[in-house]
Amino acid sequence: MFSKILIANRGEIAVRVIKTCRRLGIATVVVYSDADAGSLAVEMADETVHIGPSPAAQSYLVADKIIAACRQTGAQAIHPGFGFLSENAGFAQRCADEGIVFIGPNPGAISAMGDKIESKKFAQKAGVSCVPGHIGEIADTAEAVKISEEIGYPVMIKASAGGGGKGIRVAWSRQDVEEGFPAVRAEAKASFGDDRIFIEKFIESPRHIEIQVLGDKHGNVVHLFERECSIQRRNQKVIEEAPSPLLDEATRQAMGAQAVALAKAVNYDSAGTVEFVAGQDKSFFFLEMNTRLQVEHPVTELITGLDLVEQMIRSAWGEKLAFEQKDLKINGWAIESRIYAEDPYRKFLPSIGRLVRYDPPSEGEKDGYTVRNDAGVREGDEISMYYDPMISKLCTWAPTRLAAIDGMGRALEDFHIEGLGQNIPFLAAVMDEDRFRSGKLATSYIKDEFPDGFNGTAPTAAQLDILTAVGAAMQRVYAARARSYASGLVASAPRDEWVVFVGHAERRVKVAGEGDITVALLDEGRTLTLTDIDWRPGKPVFKAALDGKAFTVQATPAAEGFTIRHRAAKARVLVLTPRSAELHGKLPEKQAADTSKLVLSPMPGLVVSMDVAAGQQVREGEVVCVLEAMKMQNIIRAERDGVVKAVNAKGGDPVAADEVLVEFA
């Protein structure tokens, strides 16, 4: 077995590979850029090598620097993780020429399957069903428009070297192609160093289902069943699960057999994924093959009991697979939620910054479910604008799908992050949503269920009880402290009757108890009981059990009360005396500021182009500027007709979130 492996990646996947190498007794080398100098992966590795500035094009994508780091440290093999050089056939061949083992498929397999254009040509020759489209390079926007109109809208514009949701757009019209083609080409060049583009028919209401394959250097290939990855936003996977709620056993076997046949045809000898677009009728078409480890590999590990990183290492060393297809079985159900640094309340825009607080749920077995959290960050780390904004991958396993979903909901409750926007409330909303729980999924799910963006959810009756009880309990603790200070530490009787406002809902309550607390709902004839309370003033997370059912909320003080969030339901909770409650109803609502004449930067990023000038007449929907953040280009459009009064930024300028870019007269 290898004695030392270099990990040519960063963040969560670098940490993931280190953990397996430690278990196998293999020393690790981590390369790092300026931005990652203080990262968890650098801290955990046995050796580290600095490889350059923060932009990936000057560090993680520079093959010469990776090879030099191998030579410097004596590493025998390179694990590329995902992204960066992981699907670069030239790099895999370079490793072979240098006598370094590439822990991934052979260069021939990468060439045949890793390139999206070539993979479709190969699949067609192999008799694999493919999505209709133009299989070949496209020279410019005019040709892209011509091809799109021949195929028929909607079409998907994709980078040939793409992956991870980068370099991809759905175009529903000629205008979408004219705007989307150059944007995809720019993203592809920046992310992969390859700006070749192809176009294929976009199948409406599809599902994204992929088959995990695993091969060795002795001609053996098996599949490790499927993953459902249909919950996507901007073609970026958000929630994955294994197995798929769509497939029956016959369809599963058919997809698996096709994936294995394709892998065997290219002598595939590592972990890889054959992706399919599936119809609701269980029909399926080959989409592409990712010749690397997938971000969502943990859900497959959880239902099979296999360590895919270990299997990749063993295959690269030359070992035969220790099992056959008949030995593999699906055990239970697993869900993965990608925790992203993005603000779901602002159309999921990237939110870079420091993790002021990072407190994930504890891993391991819980009451009926198991938690796993794959992360490459710690409290105090910074989420950089140079790389993908994923913070961690939270996974749960349980014997059944609904139990795994319920476990994920509880795990998301227990996940606390401060300092930047994050999508935990949105993920929690999905776990509670009826359509998701039913398994009736499609890649349009987020657009279908949240057409106006995400604004949280209204509290259910059960959540209204939680928010009421927590607010009353917190107020009781603060009031007890105030009485102690005011009376010189002489005990005095606490006030027990209050009025609790949860948003606009008003409830009269009577509170009693010190350790366990009861909250009598005076107008409803019932009593709530809080037990196992884990909270103190200043702690942002309140844990307890309400009438015997455990829960966690995020709670912080606010004017006259608290801001409390349970899953996706967030409310301002006021706990007032009856007299204060009476006066509160007479206070006027604060009016929001008028920003209708301003175009604000929705995220921190870099201005790629400013497309308007002072004095210009602009129509609603026209492009105002293009911003780049997290390697993605974002088109900012005018939300109203008007004349530009002032332009406050130009191409190349860095801008902050909410910075005024353009003012209208």
Side-chain angles (χ1 to χ4, degrees), residues 118 134 154 165 189 213 245 273-274 283 378 390 398 431 462 464 469 526 635:
E118 294 304 313
H134 177 82
K189 185 68 174 177
V213 296
T273 299
V274 180
S283 61
R378 304 148 299 184
M390 190 170 68
M431 294 303 132
L464 187 61
R526 58 192 182 95
I635 298 172

Side-chain angles (χ1 to χ4, degrees), residues 300-332:
T300 295
E301 294 182 330
L302 287 168
I303 66 164
T304 61
L306 293 174
D307 181 329
L308 288 179
V309 174
E310 176 184 348
Q311 295 302 320
M312 293 179 75
I313 293 171
R314 292 191 181 281
S315 176
W317 179 248
E319 293 185 14
K320 288 185 177 181
L321 291 179
F323 41 81
E324 298 178 17
Q325 192 68 55
K326 63 183 176 61
D327 301 318
L328 298 169
K329 299 289 187 292
I330 295 174
N331 177 31

Side-chain angles (χ1 to χ4, degrees), residues 537-553:
K539 189 174 181 179
V541 174
F542 186 110
K543 297 183 179 182
L546 180 64
D547 296 337
K549 186 174 182 179
F551 70 89
T552 304
V553 298

Side-chain angles (χ1 to χ4, degrees), residues 112-140:
M113 290 287 100
D115 183 285
K116 305 305 182 291
I117 292 175
E118 294 304 313
S119 70
K120 290 186 179 299
K121 291 179 179 177
F122 193 96
Q124 284 182 335
K125 289 179 182 178
V128 177
S129 174
C130 292
V131 178
H134 177 82
I135 309 302
E137 295 179 40
I138 299 169
D140 53 29

Side-chain angles (χ1 to χ4, degrees), residues 15-279:
V15 171
R16 168 71 186 85
V17 176
I18 289 172
K19 288 179 178 179
T20 289
C21 287
R22 281 183 174 179
R23 184 170 56 78
L24 297 176
I26 301 171
T28 55
V29 180
V30 161
V31 294
Y32 67 92
S33 70
D34 289 346
D36 289 328
S39 68
L40 179 59
V42 167
E43 179 183 298
M44 291 177 64
D46 297 298
E47 296 178 64
T48 60
V49 179
H50 177 250
I51 55 169
S54 300
Q58 300 174 47
S59 50
Y60 297 106
L61 286 169
V62 183
D64 287 345
K65 293 183 177 182
I66 306 298
I67 298 296
C70 256
R71 294 290 180 222
Q72 176 184 331
T73 59
Q76 302 155 288
I78 293 175
H79 196 301
F82 40 68
F84 298 140
L85 296 171
S86 63
E87 294 182 280
N88 187 307
F91 178 69
Q93 186 61 56
R94 172 81 182 277
C95 289
D97 295 342
E98 297 277 354
I100 299 168
V101 177
F102 180 79
I103 302 176
N106 62 79
I110 297 176
S111 294
M113 290 287 100
D115 183 285
K116 305 305 182 291
I117 292 175
E118 294 304 313
S119 70
K120 290 186 179 299
K121 291 179 179 177
F122 193 96
Q124 284 182 335
K125 289 179 182 178
V128 177
S129 174
C130 292
V131 178
H134 177 82
I135 309 302
E137 295 179 40
I138 299 169
D140 53 29
T141 302
E143 185 180 3
V145 169
K146 180 175 180 292
I147 290 168
S148 298
E149 293 181 346
E150 288 174 353
I151 295 172
Y153 297 109
V155 298
M156 186 171 284
I157 307 168
K158 300 181 72 173
S160 179
K166 302 292 193 303
I168 187 169
R169 291 284 195 285
V170 175
W172 299 84
S173 65
R174 181 190 185 99
Q175 181 181 353
D176 288 347
V177 177
E178 290 173 341
E179 294 176 357
F181 183 80
V184 171
R185 173 165 279 180
E187 283 180 12
K189 185 68 174 177
S191 296
F192 312 110
D194 183 343
D195 65 355
R196 291 175 302 146
I197 306 298
F198 71 98
I199 295 176
E200 64 188 10
K201 181 70 176 177
F202 177 68
I203 298 174
E204 298 185 62
S205 213
R207 296 173 79 127
H208 183 129
I209 298 176
E210 58 191 34
I211 302 290
Q212 176 72 57
V213 296
L214 187 62
D216 62 23
K217 297 184 182 301
H218 306 276
N220 302 303
V221 180
V222 297
H223 71 81
L224 276 60
F225 312 108
E226 79 278 4
R227 294 184 289 257
E228 171 98 41
C229 306
S230 297
I231 309 299
Q232 304 178 2
R233 186 187 56 76
R234 293 182 64 182
N235 304 300
Q236 176 74 59
K237 298 168 187 174
V238 177
I239 297 168
E240 302 99 346
E241 58 183 296
S244 165
L246 175 71
L247 301 192
D248 53 30
E249 191 55 37
T251 309
R252 176 175 294 116
Q253 290 183 12
M255 292 180 77
Q258 185 167 315
V260 168
L262 192 59
K264 284 186 174 181
V266 291
N267 300 314
Y268 204 84
D269 54 355
S270 188
T273 299
V274 180
E275 301 197 350
F276 295 92
V277 57

Side-chain angles (χ1 to χ4, degrees), residues 325-611:
Q325 192 68 55
K326 63 183 176 61
D327 301 318
L328 298 169
K329 299 289 187 292
I330 295 174
N331 177 31
W333 213 286
I335 308 282
E336 175 179 290
S337 292
R338 299 193 189 190
I339 312 297
Y340 281 118
E342 61 185 13
D343 190 344
Y345 300 98
R346 300 179 60 176
K347 299 183 179 179
F348 301 93
L349 292 170
S351 177
I352 62 177
R354 193 165 300 280
L355 291 166
V356 176
R357 289 184 186 269
Y358 175 76
D359 185 16
S362 60
E363 297 185 80
E365 293 186 11
K366 308 295 179 183
D367 184 16
Y369 64 99
T370 300
V371 173
R372 168 176 168 176
N373 187 52
D374 286 20
V377 297
R378 304 148 299 184
E379 189 165 286
D381 284 349
E382 184 173 356
I383 304 300
S384 168
M385 68 178 287
Y386 295 103
Y387 312 115
D388 186 90
M390 190 170 68
I391 299 171
S392 79
K393 302 183 308 195
L394 181 65
C395 302
T396 54
W397 175 93
T400 66
R401 183 172 186 266
L402 285 180
I405 292 172
D406 289 340
M408 178 60 72
R410 281 290 295 123
L412 289 165
E413 285 184 29
D414 287 337
F415 211 133
H416 179 62
I417 292 174
E418 290 182 25
L420 42 71
Q422 38 72 25
N423 64 337
I424 292 173
F426 171 75
L427 296 168
V430 174
M431 294 303 132
D432 288 338
E433 202 269 330
D434 288 341
R435 178 180 166 191
F436 177 76
R437 295 175 69 84
S438 74
K440 297 176 182 177
L441 312 180
T443 55
S444 60
Y445 171 89
I446 292 177
K447 187 185 297 184
D448 294 343
E449 300 304 318
F450 303 91
D452 301 319
F454 178 74
N455 297 298
T457 58
T460 63
Q463 288 177 318
L464 187 61
D465 285 350
I466 288 173
L467 300 180
T468 300
V470 170
M474 292 174 68
Q475 174 64 23
R476 189 168 183 81
V477 172
Y478 278 113
R481 280 193 167 192
R483 289 196 314 277
S484 296
Y485 287 122
S487 59
L489 302 180
V490 176
S492 59
R495 174 187 292 276
D496 56 6
E497 292 197 11
W498 300 88
V499 178
V500 179
F501 287 86
V502 179
H504 294 292
E506 179 180 350
R507 305 174 105 178
R508 293 191 312 119
V509 303
K510 186 171 184 178
V511 187
E514 296 299 331
D516 295 344
I517 292 178
T518 61
V519 180
L521 304 174
L522 299 180
D523 297 322
E524 301 176 39
R526 58 192 182 95
T527 299
L528 308 174
T529 303
L530 280 176
T531 57
D532 303 320
I533 296 173
D534 178 9
W535 179 80
R536 63 181 182 278
K539 189 174 181 179
V541 174
F542 186 110
K543 297 183 179 182
L546 180 64
D547 296 337
K549 186 174 182 179
F551 70 89
T552 304
V553 298
Q554 317 292 317
T556 55
E560 296 186 280
F562 314 97
T563 298
I564 304 175
R565 176 176 66 79
H566 179 257
R567 301 199 180 189
K570 181 169 70 173
R572 183 185 179 203
V573 179
L574 306 182
V575 185
L576 308 176
T577 65
R579 177 56 178 160
S580 294
E582 182 182 341
L583 297 174
H584 176 77
K586 304 180 186 300
L587 294 175
E589 291 281 343
K590 183 178 179 180
Q591 297 299 311
D594 180 12
T595 60
S596 61
K597 294 185 177 181
L598 305 177
V599 176
L600 306 178
S601 175
M603 73 201 87
L606 195 70
V607 178
V608 176
S609 66
M610 179 58 68
D611 298 278

